Amino acid sequence: MTAFSIVLLAMIAAFLGMRLYSVLGKRTGHEQEPVLPRRDDRAVPSPVRLEDGETPSPSVGVPDTSGLVYEPAAEIGLRQLLASDRNFDAGRFMEGAEAAYRMILEAYWKGDRDTLRDLCDDDSYEAFVEAIEARDARGEKLENRLVGIESAKITAVEMDRKEARITVRYQADISAVTRDADGKMIAGSMSDASRTDDLWTFRRAIGSDDPNWLLDEIEAA
């Protein structure tokens, strides 16, 4: 699993429901089931503190565009988030977001419900579990691998009084293979990686003592 470039495959994510429809994203190669990583508590935004009365500047906690950490359209939202959460740092957030991406995908592929529970909100978790149970009922196994993340950057930041939501665009390459109960390969390829292009949205309560961001939804870019 790595660079995500939409491949028009028979949307195996149908049974995942609309929320998880693009877990795998559109593929350009071999059709495969959805994919997702995990957010590590230790990989969340690191503190960027301001002195009392100091107004956050565009550069505080927000890497410049040349670093590919965020798209220009997300800058206003990032400034608003910085003004509300003095501990937020975009660079550290992206470190955590990339770790989360890998962990959630691997947890889904392996059917690791505990990891998914820690990294997803209720709706996303339930959608993953439903997909895992459907897969198990068919006796199928996934042998997927995240080859690499080609690009990951913030595309949008939304704020309200209680919650912040950050959308990250991941472009990655994923090697995906599905086997039936007898171990026979029924989808994917052992040699070719598919490119996916997905938008993952994470949310967190503003002012919460919990520094972690939870996966809220996934859609194709």
Side-chain angles (χ1 to χ4, degrees):
M1 314 176 44
T2 18
F4 301 89
S5 213
I6 302 175
V7 175
L8 307 176
L9 278 169
M11 312 269 157
I12 277 183
F15 64 87
L16 298 185
M18 264 180 139
R19 275 184 88 95
L20 286 186
Y21 141 68
S22 52
V23 172
L24 242 194
K26 307 172 194 173
R27 309 214 151 186
T28 111
H30 305 278
E31 176 178 8
Q32 202 58 31
E33 290 197 47
V35 203
L36 286 177
R38 160 191 180 181
R39 185 181 100 273
D40 188 307
D41 295 356
R42 296 162 296 181
V44 295
S46 64
V48 173
R49 302 185 181 284
L50 301 177
E51 297 300 325
D52 292 339
E54 182 181 356
T55 301
S57 68
S59 61
V60 177
V62 182
D64 91 31
T65 359
S66 61
L68 300 178
V69 174
Y70 70 96
E71 294 183 350
E75 184 173 353
I76 293 177
L78 282 172
R79 292 186 186 184
Q80 293 174 339
L81 178 54
L82 285 167
S84 299
D85 184 350
R86 296 161 57 139
N87 291 330
F88 179 79
D89 177 85
R92 283 300 298 280
F93 170 83
M94 285 307 300
E95 289 178 13
E98 289 194 36
Y101 180 76
R102 180 180 298 275
M103 289 187 278
I104 292 173
L105 285 176
E106 292 179 349
Y108 168 68
W109 295 336
K110 296 175 182 177
D112 181 353
R113 292 170 174 76
D114 290 339
T115 294
L116 291 172
R117 177 69 281 179
D118 290 340
L119 302 172
C120 302
D121 67 7
D122 292 341
D123 290 343
S124 294
Y125 172 73
E126 289 171 8
F128 276 120
V129 170
E130 180 181 350
I132 291 171
E133 291 177 346
R135 186 176 73 209
D136 290 345
R138 296 192 301 272
E140 295 175 354
K141 299 291 184 182
L142 299 183
E143 293 182 3
N144 295 359
R145 181 172 64 89
L146 177 60
V147 179
I149 299 174
E150 199 63 32
S151 173
K153 55 186 174 181
I154 296 170
T155 62
V157 179
E158 299 175 22
M159 303 266 303
D160 62 28
R161 293 181 178 179
K162 298 181 179 179
E163 187 175 76
R165 300 175 79 249
I166 298 180
T167 298
V168 178
R169 181 177 185 177
Y170 297 95
Q171 295 178 313
D173 293 320
I174 296 175
S175 174
V177 170
T178 299
R179 296 186 184 278
D180 63 17
D182 297 322
K184 179 181 179 181
M185 186 170 68
I186 58 177
S189 169
M190 296 294 289
S191 56
D192 296 332
S194 298
R195 175 165 290 187
T196 61
D197 191 344
D198 297 328
L199 296 171
W200 288 32
T201 299
F202 299 89
R203 67 178 180 81
R204 175 177 176 270
I206 296 175
S208 170
D209 291 333
D210 184 353
N212 299 317
W213 293 75
L214 297 177
L215 176 65
D216 181 48
E217 62 181 312
I218 298 172
E219 62 180 317

